[in-house]
Every structure is written in structure tokens, then in C-alpha cells.
Amino acid sequence: MASGVIKCKAAVAWEAGKPLSIEEVEVAPPKAHEVRIKIVATAVCHTDAYTLSGADPEGCFPVILGHEGAGIVESVGEGVTKVKKGDTVIPLYIPQCGECKFCKNPKTNLCQKIRVTQGKGVMPDGTSRFTCKGKQIFHFMGTSTFSEYTVVADISVAKIDAAAPLDKVCLLGCGISTGYGAAVNTAKVEPGSTCAVFGLGGVGLAVIMGCKVAGASRIIGIDINKDKYAKAKEFGATECISPQDSKKPIQEVLVEMTDGGVDYSFECIGNVGVMRAALEACHKGWGLSVIVGVAAAGQEISTRPFQLVTGRTWKGTAFGGWKSVDSVPKLVTEYMSKKIKVDEFVTHTLPFDKINEAFELMHSGKSIRTVLKF
């Protein structure tokens, strides 16, 4: 059972737009149906930066960010049966309760059991487990992995193979699973098809990997940063192009390159103009475009309805469509058996105290993923 309060290191975002501050925080023991985890490794994703910037309408401060992490169960609250002290786990920002109508429907992975409280930055009982300098600190995405210890709901943990290297598989908590699943689950890419991937960051590379695993014969990477091309080709892109190299809109360039358009396209940026281009780069009659990137709050997408009337499909995906508790352990197994890449996404490894450097690397476009180790 749970012991008392733990004092440990965490990166606190005191307010929007300011660097994170390494602080000593108190982490309360887990209550019923909660799990306290010792985080071993965590990575930085654009979603953390989006909330830190102040642009996220659900953003609450002060907060402990982070949602790509892995660790060991330190203690469990009463009623917890799925994991025990010592288990190796990945915290999940999309839980899987198995009971709500979303969990019972095979068409979605969007468990809604704790959605409202998670969005408000608190545990399911409406309170926080974090305090610092006498102030309550909010949780983030139900995970808060930028802390040496965190508390999550028991439906928000996946128990994984204890032999897995946590400084690698932490990436399966968000970016890799999201991109890979966008290709294999949401788009259901078919062998021999032609794909276009807009945005060659971590998620875009994972989409390329998924397209390749699914047997796509042509995978076109699109990014204005040409430094990203070599890595994209290593992951399976057959060619890479920049929208800035042509006076024509990128969708026209792609339609010409592919005799009418691609079979599948993926937007991995979060830019509504690029989302339109990705749809319009699809082939008439059967082309399918998946929105993977998260656009800023309040932005809207547009295209002419004729694009859809003439047989294109526009879809979106969250966490790659994976039902999280069931799927993340399987993804770890696929990595351990070398079916999917994970190590290749890690371009930098830093001690946890250098977390602000990890954000700088991401914004500069110099990193794919930076893993922070405690």
C-alpha cells in the first residue's frame, strides 16, 4: 500500500511563456484507484510547448507538464488490481477504462471516463497530488511526467515488459504511437499505395514508418526544413520535397508527381492551411487524408465540398487510434522484436535538469526527440 508524501524534483511551469523551473515538490500518496510512479525517463513533445506558450485554452498554471514518460510503480491506492509496486509502466494521456461507451466501441480509442477532470488539471476526485512552496500545482494530460514521481489514475497506466529500456520506450507514450497508428489504424494504408507525409518531425517520421510497415511503395516526405530529409529517408521516405521549391501550391505539385494525387496523406504539423493542401493532394475517387497535427484553439479548416463529393475522405486521429492500455504493451513488444523503430527517434539525451535545453532543441528543429533522464 501507499506510504506517505514524497519530496522530489520536478519541472514546474509557474506561468505561461516562462521557462520551466526545477523545484522540490511534494507528491501525495495515491488515493483509491490511483498509482504513484517513479518516472525514469521522459521526453519533450510539441504539445507540452503548446500549453506552456499559453495558447492552450485548457492550460492551467502552475502545472507540471510532460506526457511522454516511462517508469516504475512506487505504490498503489486501494482498489488497484491491474498493476502493483515494482511494475514497469507507461503513463497514458488517453486512458482505457473498458466500461464507458467509447471503450466499448471498437471504432474509437477516446475513453471519456476522466476526460473532464483531466482537462481541468486535477485527479478524478477533483484534487491535485502535487504541491510546491505551499501552492497546489496542477496535473497535465493526466500524466505530468516532468516530475521524479507522479500520480495517475489506474486506468491511465499500461504495464509493459520489464526488460524494455525506459529511456527509449517512453516515446511510445505519445509521438511514435500517434504517427504509427495514424498510418496502420486510422488510414489503414494498403500495400503498393502512394503516401504523402506533411511535417517530418517525430510524428511525421512515425507515420513514414507505419506506411512502410504497411507496404506502401512510394512515400513522399514534405517539409520546408531540408535538414529533415536524410532522417525521413532512413525511416522509409522514397523522396522528399519542399513547398518552397515551387511557385505552384504543394497540392498541385503532388498531383502532378503522382498521376492524379496520393492514395493517403497525413498532416503532422497542426497548420490548417497545410491540412487543406494535404486533402487536395489526394487522388479523386479514393484518396484519404488524416489530420494528425493539433491546430491552435479556434482555428478552422476549409476546402471546397466538391473535394469530398468527388470521393476524397477527411479523417482525424488521436494517439493513433490505439486503445491505450491494450495496445501500448503490444507496441513495446513490437519494438523489442524490431518490427518498429524507437531508438532512431532519440537524437539527444540530457539530464532532467536541462529540460529547458530540450525545449530549445525542439523549437530550433535540431532534434527529433530529446529524452530526459532522472
Side-chain angles (χ1 to χ4, degrees), residues 1-83:
M1 293 305 287
S3 51
V5 171
I6 289 178
K7 288 188 173 177
C8 69
K9 218 164 30 175
V12 176
W14 288 106
E15 54 184 303
K18 295 273 167 70
L20 301 180
S21 176
I22 304 289
E23 306 280 3
E24 182 181 77
V25 299
E26 294 86 43
V27 185
K31 295 189 183 179
H33 293 290
E34 295 176 3
V35 179
R36 187 159 59 181
I37 301 166
K38 180 176 174 42
I39 297 290
V40 174
T42 182
V44 176
C45 165
H46 271 99
T47 310
D48 301 304
Y50 170 61
T51 298
L52 183 58
S53 74
D56 180 357
E58 270 198 354
C60 320
F61 295 88
V63 63
I64 295 173
L65 298 169
H67 64 282
E68 266 187 1
I72 310 289
V73 174
E74 176 273 333
S75 59
V76 299
E78 65 182 84
V80 175
T81 56
K82 296 263 169 57
V83 294

Coordinates of all heavy atoms in Angstrom, one line a residue, residues 1-83:
M1 N 0.8 -1.2 0.0 CA 0.0 0.0 0.0 C 0.9 1.3 0.0 O 2.1 1.2 0.2 CB -0.9 0.0 1.2 CG -2.0 -1.1 1.2 SD -3.0 -1.1 -0.3 CE -4.0 0.4 0.0
A2 N 0.2 2.4 -0.2 CA 0.9 3.6 -0.3 C 1.6 4.1 1.0 O 1.0 4.0 2.0 CB 0.0 4.7 -0.8
S3 N 2.8 4.6 0.8 CA 3.4 5.2 2.0 C 3.0 6.7 2.0 O 2.0 7.1 1.5 CB 4.9 5.1 1.9 OG 5.4 5.5 0.6
G4 N 3.9 7.6 2.6 CA 3.5 9.0 2.8 C 3.9 9.8 1.6 O 4.1 9.4 0.5
V5 N 3.9 11.1 1.9 CA 4.3 12.1 0.9 C 5.7 11.9 0.5 O 6.6 11.6 1.3 CB 4.1 13.5 1.5 CG1 4.7 14.6 0.6 CG2 2.6 13.8 1.8
I6 N 6.0 12.1 -0.8 CA 7.4 12.0 -1.3 C 7.8 13.4 -1.7 O 7.1 14.1 -2.4 CB 7.5 11.0 -2.5 CG1 7.3 9.6 -2.1 CG2 8.8 11.2 -3.2 CD1 7.3 8.6 -3.2
K7 N 9.0 13.8 -1.3 CA 9.6 15.0 -1.8 C 10.6 14.7 -2.9 O 11.4 13.8 -2.8 CB 10.4 15.8 -0.7 CG 9.5 16.4 0.4 CD 10.2 17.2 1.4 CE 9.2 17.9 2.3 NZ 9.9 18.7 3.3
C8 N 10.5 15.4 -4.0 CA 11.3 15.1 -5.2 C 11.5 16.3 -6.1 O 10.9 17.3 -5.9 CB 10.8 13.9 -5.9 SG 9.2 14.2 -6.8
K9 N 12.2 16.1 -7.2 CA 12.5 17.1 -8.2 C 11.4 17.1 -9.2 O 11.0 16.0 -9.7 CB 13.8 16.8 -8.8 CG 14.7 18.0 -9.1 CD 16.1 17.7 -9.4 CE 16.5 16.4 -10.0 NZ 18.0 16.4 -10.4
A10 N 11.0 18.3 -9.7 CA 10.1 18.4 -10.8 C 10.3 19.7 -11.5 O 10.9 20.6 -11.0 CB 8.6 18.3 -10.3
A11 N 9.9 19.7 -12.8 CA 10.0 21.0 -13.5 C 8.6 21.6 -13.5 O 7.6 21.1 -14.0 CB 10.4 20.7 -15.0
V12 N 8.5 22.8 -12.8 CA 7.2 23.4 -12.7 C 7.1 24.6 -13.7 O 8.0 25.4 -13.8 CB 7.1 24.0 -11.2 CG1 5.8 24.8 -11.0 CG2 7.1 22.8 -10.2
A13 N 6.0 24.6 -14.3 CA 5.6 25.8 -15.2 C 4.8 26.7 -14.3 O 3.6 26.5 -14.1 CB 4.9 25.4 -16.4
W14 N 5.4 27.8 -13.8 CA 4.7 28.7 -12.9 C 3.7 29.5 -13.6 O 2.6 29.8 -13.1 CB 5.7 29.5 -12.1 CG 6.4 28.8 -11.0 CD1 7.7 28.4 -11.1 CD2 5.9 28.3 -9.8 NE1 8.1 27.7 -9.9 CE2 7.0 27.6 -9.1 CE3 4.6 28.3 -9.1 CZ2 6.8 27.0 -7.9 CZ3 4.5 27.7 -7.9 CH2 5.6 27.1 -7.3
E15 N 4.1 29.9 -14.8 CA 3.2 30.7 -15.7 C 3.5 30.5 -17.1 O 4.6 30.1 -17.5 CB 3.3 32.2 -15.3 CG 4.6 32.8 -15.3 CD 4.7 34.3 -14.8 OE1 3.9 35.1 -15.4 OE2 5.4 34.6 -13.9
A16 N 2.5 30.9 -18.0 CA 2.7 30.7 -19.4 C 3.8 31.6 -20.0 O 4.1 32.7 -19.5 CB 1.4 31.1 -20.1
G17 N 4.5 31.0 -20.9 CA 5.5 31.7 -21.7 C 6.9 31.9 -20.9 O 7.8 32.5 -21.5
K18 N 7.0 31.3 -19.7 CA 8.2 31.4 -19.0 C 8.9 30.0 -19.0 O 8.2 29.0 -19.1 CB 8.0 31.8 -17.5 CG 7.4 33.2 -17.4 CD 8.5 34.2 -17.3 CE 8.0 35.6 -17.4 NZ 7.2 36.1 -16.3
P19 N 10.3 30.0 -18.9 CA 10.9 28.7 -18.9 C 10.5 27.9 -17.6 O 10.0 28.5 -16.7 CB 12.4 29.0 -18.7 CG 12.5 30.5 -19.2 CD 11.2 31.1 -18.9
L20 N 10.6 26.6 -17.7 CA 10.3 25.7 -16.6 C 11.3 25.9 -15.5 O 12.5 26.2 -15.7 CB 10.3 24.2 -17.0 CG 9.3 23.9 -18.1 CD1 9.4 22.4 -18.5 CD2 7.9 24.3 -17.8
S21 N 10.9 25.7 -14.2 CA 11.7 25.9 -13.1 C 11.9 24.6 -12.3 O 10.9 24.0 -12.0 CB 11.1 27.0 -12.2 OG 11.8 27.2 -11.0
I22 N 13.1 24.2 -12.1 CA 13.4 22.9 -11.4 C 13.1 23.2 -9.9 O 13.8 24.1 -9.3 CB 14.8 22.4 -11.6 CG1 15.1 22.2 -13.1 CG2 15.0 21.1 -10.8 CD1 14.3 21.0 -13.7
E23 N 12.2 22.5 -9.3 CA 11.8 22.8 -7.9 C 11.8 21.5 -7.1 O 11.7 20.4 -7.7 CB 10.4 23.4 -7.8 CG 10.2 24.6 -8.7 CD 10.7 25.9 -8.0 OE1 11.3 25.8 -6.9 OE2 10.6 27.0 -8.6
E24 N 11.8 21.6 -5.8 CA 11.4 20.4 -5.0 C 9.9 20.5 -4.7 O 9.4 21.5 -4.3 CB 12.1 20.5 -3.6 CG 11.8 19.2 -2.8 CD 12.4 19.2 -1.4 OE1 11.9 19.9 -0.5 OE2 13.4 18.5 -1.2
V25 N 9.2 19.4 -5.1 CA 7.8 19.3 -4.9 C 7.4 18.2 -3.9 O 8.2 17.3 -3.7 CB 7.1 19.1 -6.3 CG1 7.3 20.2 -7.2 CG2 7.4 17.8 -6.9
E26 N 6.2 18.3 -3.4 CA 5.7 17.2 -2.6 C 4.7 16.5 -3.4 O 3.8 17.1 -4.0 CB 5.0 17.7 -1.3 CG 6.0 18.4 -0.3 CD 6.2 19.8 -0.6 OE1 5.2 20.6 -0.9 OE2 7.4 20.3 -0.5
V27 N 4.8 15.1 -3.4 CA 3.8 14.3 -4.2 C 3.1 13.4 -3.2 O 3.7 12.6 -2.5 CB 4.6 13.4 -5.2 CG1 3.6 12.6 -6.1 CG2 5.5 14.3 -6.1
A28 N 1.8 13.7 -3.1 CA 1.0 13.0 -2.1 C 0.8 11.5 -2.5 O 0.9 11.2 -3.7 CB -0.4 13.6 -2.0
P29 N 0.5 10.6 -1.5 CA 0.3 9.2 -1.9 C -1.0 9.0 -2.8 O -1.9 9.9 -2.7 CB 0.1 8.5 -0.5 CG -0.1 9.6 0.5 CD 0.4 10.9 -0.1
P30 N -1.0 7.9 -3.5 CA -2.2 7.7 -4.4 C -3.4 7.4 -3.5 O -3.3 6.7 -2.6 CB -1.7 6.5 -5.2 CG -0.7 5.8 -4.4 CD 0.0 6.8 -3.6
K31 N -4.5 7.9 -4.0 CA -5.8 7.6 -3.4 C -6.4 6.4 -4.1 O -5.7 5.7 -4.9 CB -6.8 8.8 -3.5 CG -6.3 10.0 -2.7 CD -7.3 11.1 -2.6 CE -6.8 12.3 -1.9 NZ -7.8 13.4 -1.8
A32 N -7.6 6.0 -3.7 CA -8.3 4.9 -4.3 C -8.2 5.0 -5.9 O -8.5 6.0 -6.4 CB -9.7 4.7 -3.9
H33 N -7.9 3.8 -6.5 CA -7.8 3.8 -8.0 C -6.8 4.7 -8.6 O -7.0 5.2 -9.7 CB -9.2 3.9 -8.6 CG -10.1 2.8 -8.3 ND1 -9.9 1.5 -8.8 CD2 -11.1 2.7 -7.4 CE1 -10.8 0.7 -8.3 NE2 -11.6 1.4 -7.5
E34 N -5.7 5.0 -7.8 CA -4.6 5.8 -8.3 C -3.3 5.1 -8.1 O -3.2 4.2 -7.3 CB -4.5 7.1 -7.6 CG -5.8 8.0 -7.8 CD -5.7 9.3 -7.0 OE1 -4.7 9.6 -6.3 OE2 -6.7 10.1 -7.1
V35 N -2.3 5.5 -8.9 CA -1.0 4.8 -8.9 C 0.1 5.9 -8.9 O 0.0 6.9 -9.6 CB -0.8 4.0 -10.2 CG1 0.6 3.3 -10.3 CG2 -1.9 3.0 -10.4
R36 N 1.1 5.7 -8.0 CA 2.2 6.6 -7.9 C 3.4 6.0 -8.6 O 3.7 4.8 -8.3 CB 2.6 7.0 -6.5 CG 3.6 8.1 -6.4 CD 3.6 8.8 -5.0 NE 3.8 8.0 -3.9 CZ 3.9 8.4 -2.6 NH1 3.7 9.7 -2.3 NH2 4.1 7.5 -1.6
I37 N 4.0 6.7 -9.5 CA 5.0 6.2 -10.4 C 6.3 6.9 -10.2 O 6.3 8.2 -10.2 CB 4.6 6.3 -11.9 CG1 3.3 5.5 -12.1 CG2 5.7 5.8 -12.8 CD1 2.6 5.8 -13.4
K38 N 7.4 6.2 -10.1 CA 8.8 6.8 -10.2 C 9.1 6.9 -11.7 O 9.3 5.9 -12.3 CB 9.8 6.0 -9.4 CG 11.2 6.6 -9.5 CD 12.2 5.8 -8.7 CE 13.6 6.3 -8.8 NZ 13.9 7.7 -8.8
I39 N 9.2 8.1 -12.2 CA 9.5 8.3 -13.6 C 11.0 8.2 -13.8 O 11.8 8.8 -13.1 CB 9.0 9.7 -14.1 CG1 7.5 9.9 -14.0 CG2 9.5 10.0 -15.5 CD1 6.7 9.0 -15.0
V40 N 11.4 7.3 -14.8 CA 12.8 7.1 -15.0 C 13.3 7.9 -16.2 O 14.4 8.4 -16.2 CB 13.0 5.6 -15.3 CG1 14.4 5.3 -15.8 CG2 12.7 4.7 -14.1
A41 N 12.4 8.1 -17.2 CA 12.8 8.9 -18.4 C 11.5 9.5 -19.0 O 10.4 9.0 -18.9 CB 13.4 8.0 -19.5
T42 N 11.7 10.7 -19.5 CA 10.6 11.4 -20.1 C 11.1 12.2 -21.3 O 12.3 12.6 -21.4 CB 9.8 12.4 -19.1 OG1 8.7 13.0 -19.8 CG2 10.8 13.4 -18.6
A43 N 10.2 12.4 -22.3 CA 10.6 13.2 -23.5 C 9.8 14.4 -23.6 O 8.7 14.5 -23.0 CB 10.5 12.3 -24.7
V44 N 10.2 15.3 -24.5 CA 9.5 16.6 -24.7 C 8.8 16.6 -26.1 O 9.4 16.2 -27.1 CB 10.5 17.8 -24.6 CG1 9.8 19.1 -24.9 CG2 11.2 17.8 -23.2
C45 N 7.5 17.0 -26.1 CA 6.7 16.9 -27.3 C 6.2 18.3 -27.5 O 6.1 19.1 -26.6 CB 5.6 15.9 -27.1 SG 4.3 16.0 -28.2
H46 N 5.8 18.6 -28.8 CA 5.3 20.0 -29.1 C 4.0 20.3 -28.3 O 3.8 21.5 -28.0 CB 5.0 20.0 -30.6 CG 6.1 20.5 -31.4 ND1 6.9 19.7 -32.1 CD2 6.6 21.8 -31.6 CE1 7.9 20.4 -32.7 NE2 7.7 21.6 -32.4
T47 N 3.3 19.3 -27.9 CA 2.1 19.6 -27.1 C 2.4 20.2 -25.7 O 1.7 21.1 -25.2 CB 1.2 18.3 -26.9 OG1 1.1 17.6 -28.1 CG2 -0.1 18.6 -26.3
D48 N 3.5 19.8 -25.1 CA 4.0 20.4 -23.9 C 4.3 21.9 -24.1 O 3.9 22.8 -23.3 CB 5.3 19.8 -23.4 CG 5.0 18.3 -23.1 OD1 4.1 17.9 -22.3 OD2 5.8 17.4 -23.7
A49 N 5.0 22.2 -25.3 CA 5.3 23.6 -25.6 C 4.1 24.4 -25.9 O 4.0 25.6 -25.6 CB 6.3 23.6 -26.8
Y50 N 3.1 23.8 -26.6 CA 1.9 24.5 -26.9 C 1.2 25.0 -25.7 O 0.7 26.1 -25.6 CB 1.0 23.5 -27.7 CG -0.4 24.0 -28.0 CD1 -0.7 25.2 -28.7 CD2 -1.5 23.3 -27.5 CE1 -2.0 25.7 -28.9 CE2 -2.8 23.8 -27.7 CZ -3.1 24.9 -28.4 OH -4.3 25.4 -28.6
T51 N 1.1 24.1 -24.6 CA 0.4 24.5 -23.4 C 1.3 25.5 -22.7 O 0.8 26.6 -22.2 CB 0.2 23.3 -22.5 OG1 -0.7 22.4 -23.2 CG2 -0.5 23.7 -21.2
L52 N 2.6 25.3 -22.6 CA 3.5 26.3 -22.0 C 3.4 27.7 -22.6 O 3.5 28.7 -21.9 CB 4.9 25.7 -22.0 CG 6.0 26.6 -21.3 CD1 5.7 26.7 -19.8 CD2 7.4 25.9 -21.5
S53 N 3.1 27.7 -23.9 CA 3.1 29.0 -24.6 C 1.9 29.9 -24.1 O 1.9 31.1 -24.4 CB 3.0 28.8 -26.1 OG 1.7 28.4 -26.4
G54 N 0.9 29.3 -23.6 CA -0.3 30.0 -23.1 C -1.4 29.9 -24.2 O -2.5 30.5 -24.0
A55 N -1.1 29.3 -25.3 CA -2.1 29.2 -26.4 C -3.2 28.2 -26.1 O -4.3 28.2 -26.8 CB -1.4 28.9 -27.7
D56 N -3.0 27.3 -25.2 CA -3.9 26.2 -25.0 C -5.1 26.6 -24.0 O -4.8 27.0 -22.9 CB -3.2 25.0 -24.3 CG -4.0 23.8 -24.0 OD1 -5.2 23.8 -24.2 OD2 -3.4 22.8 -23.5
P57 N -6.3 26.6 -24.5 CA -7.4 27.1 -23.7 C -7.6 26.2 -22.4 O -8.2 26.7 -21.5 CB -8.7 27.0 -24.6 CG -8.3 26.1 -25.7 CD -6.8 26.1 -25.9
E58 N -7.2 25.0 -22.5 CA -7.3 24.1 -21.3 C -6.1 24.3 -20.3 O -6.0 23.6 -19.3 CB -7.4 22.6 -21.7 CG -8.9 22.2 -21.9 CD -9.0 20.7 -21.9 OE1 -8.0 19.9 -21.8 OE2 -10.2 20.2 -21.9
G59 N -5.1 25.1 -20.7 CA -3.9 25.2 -19.9 C -4.2 25.9 -18.6 O -4.8 26.9 -18.5
C60 N -3.7 25.2 -17.5 CA -3.9 25.7 -16.1 C -2.5 25.9 -15.5 O -1.6 25.1 -15.8 CB -4.6 24.8 -15.2 SG -6.0 23.9 -15.9
F61 N -2.2 27.0 -14.8 CA -0.9 27.2 -14.2 C -1.1 27.5 -12.7 O -2.2 28.0 -12.3 CB -0.2 28.4 -14.8 CG 0.1 28.1 -16.3 CD1 -0.8 28.4 -17.3 CD2 1.4 27.6 -16.6 CE1 -0.5 28.1 -18.6 CE2 1.7 27.3 -17.9 CZ 0.8 27.6 -18.9
P62 N -0.1 27.2 -11.8 CA 1.1 26.5 -12.1 C 0.9 25.0 -12.4 O -0.1 24.4 -11.9 CB 2.0 26.7 -10.9 CG 1.0 26.9 -9.8 CD -0.2 27.6 -10.4
V63 N 1.7 24.4 -13.2 CA 1.5 23.0 -13.7 C 2.8 22.2 -13.9 O 3.8 22.8 -14.1 CB 0.7 23.0 -15.0 CG1 1.5 23.7 -16.1 CG2 0.2 21.6 -15.4
I64 N 2.7 20.9 -13.7 CA 3.8 20.0 -14.1 C 3.4 19.4 -15.4 O 2.5 18.6 -15.5 CB 4.1 19.0 -13.0 CG1 4.6 19.7 -11.7 CG2 5.1 18.0 -13.5 CD1 4.8 18.8 -10.5
L65 N 4.1 19.8 -16.5 CA 3.8 19.3 -17.8 C 4.4 17.9 -18.0 O 4.9 17.3 -17.1 CB 4.3 20.3 -18.9 CG 3.7 21.7 -18.8 CD1 4.5 22.6 -19.7 CD2 2.3 21.6 -19.3
G66 N 4.4 17.4 -19.3 CA 5.0 16.1 -19.6 C 4.0 15.0 -19.8 O 3.1 14.8 -19.0
H67 N 4.1 14.3 -21.0 CA 3.1 13.2 -21.2 C 3.7 12.1 -22.0 O 3.0 11.2 -22.4 CB 1.9 13.8 -21.9 CG 2.2 14.3 -23.3 ND1 2.7 15.6 -23.5 CD2 2.0 13.8 -24.5 CE1 2.9 15.8 -24.8 NE2 2.5 14.7 -25.4
E68 N 5.1 12.1 -22.2 CA 5.8 11.0 -22.8 C 6.8 10.5 -21.8 O 7.9 11.0 -21.7 CB 6.6 11.5 -24.1 CG 5.9 11.4 -25.4 CD 6.8 11.7 -26.6 OE1 7.9 12.0 -26.4 OE2 6.2 11.7 -27.7
G69 N 6.4 9.5 -21.0 CA 7.3 9.1 -20.0 C 7.2 7.6 -19.7 O 6.3 6.9 -20.3
A70 N 8.1 7.1 -18.9 CA 8.1 5.6 -18.5 C 8.7 5.5 -17.1 O 9.6 6.3 -16.8 CB 8.8 4.8 -19.5
G71 N 8.2 4.6 -16.4 CA 8.8 4.4 -15.0 C 8.4 3.2 -14.3 O 7.9 2.2 -15.0
I72 N 8.5 3.2 -13.0 CA 8.3 2.0 -12.2 C 7.2 2.4 -11.1 O 7.3 3.5 -10.5 CB 9.6 1.6 -11.4 CG1 10.8 1.5 -12.4 CG2 9.3 0.3 -10.6 CD1 10.7 0.3 -13.3
V73 N 6.2 1.5 -10.9 CA 5.2 1.8 -9.9 C 5.9 1.8 -8.5 O 6.5 0.8 -8.1 CB 4.1 0.7 -9.9 CG1 3.1 0.9 -8.8 CG2 3.4 0.7 -11.3
E74 N 5.7 2.9 -7.8 CA 6.2 3.0 -6.4 C 5.2 2.5 -5.4 O 5.5 1.9 -4.4 CB 6.6 4.5 -6.2 CG 7.1 4.8 -4.8 CD 6.0 5.2 -3.8 OE1 4.9 5.6 -4.2 OE2 6.2 4.9 -2.6
S75 N 3.9 2.9 -5.6 CA 2.9 2.4 -4.7 C 1.5 2.5 -5.4 O 1.4 3.3 -6.4 CB 2.9 3.2 -3.4 OG 2.6 4.6 -3.7
V76 N 0.5 1.9 -4.9 CA -0.8 1.9 -5.5 C -1.8 2.2 -4.4 O -1.7 1.9 -3.2 CB -1.2 0.6 -6.2 CG1 -0.3 0.3 -7.4 CG2 -1.3 -0.6 -5.3
G77 N -2.9 2.9 -4.8 CA -4.0 3.2 -3.8 C -4.9 2.0 -3.8 O -4.8 1.0 -4.5
E78 N -5.9 2.1 -2.9 CA -6.8 0.9 -2.7 C -7.6 0.7 -3.9 O -7.9 1.6 -4.7 CB -7.7 1.1 -1.4 CG -8.6 2.2 -1.5 CD -9.4 2.3 -0.1 OE1 -8.9 2.9 0.8 OE2 -10.5 1.7 -0.1
G79 N -7.9 -0.6 -4.2 CA -8.8 -1.0 -5.3 C -8.0 -1.1 -6.6 O -8.6 -1.5 -7.6
V80 N -6.7 -0.9 -6.6 CA -5.9 -1.0 -7.8 C -5.5 -2.5 -8.0 O -4.9 -3.1 -7.1 CB -4.6 -0.2 -7.8 CG1 -3.8 -0.4 -9.0 CG2 -5.0 1.3 -7.7
T81 N -5.9 -3.1 -9.1 CA -5.7 -4.5 -9.4 C -4.8 -4.8 -10.6 O -4.1 -5.8 -10.7 CB -7.0 -5.3 -9.6 OG1 -7.7 -4.6 -10.7 CG2 -7.9 -5.2 -8.4
K82 N -4.7 -3.8 -11.6 CA -4.0 -4.1 -12.8 C -2.5 -4.0 -12.7 O -1.8 -4.6 -13.5 CB -4.5 -3.1 -13.9 CG -6.0 -3.3 -14.2 CD -6.2 -4.2 -15.5 CE -7.6 -4.6 -15.7 NZ -8.6 -3.6 -15.8
V83 N -2.0 -3.1 -11.7 CA -0.6 -3.0 -11.6 C -0.3 -3.1 -10.1 O -1.1 -2.8 -9.2 CB 0.0 -1.7 -12.1 CG1 -0.2 -1.6 -13.7 CG2 -0.7 -0.5 -11.5

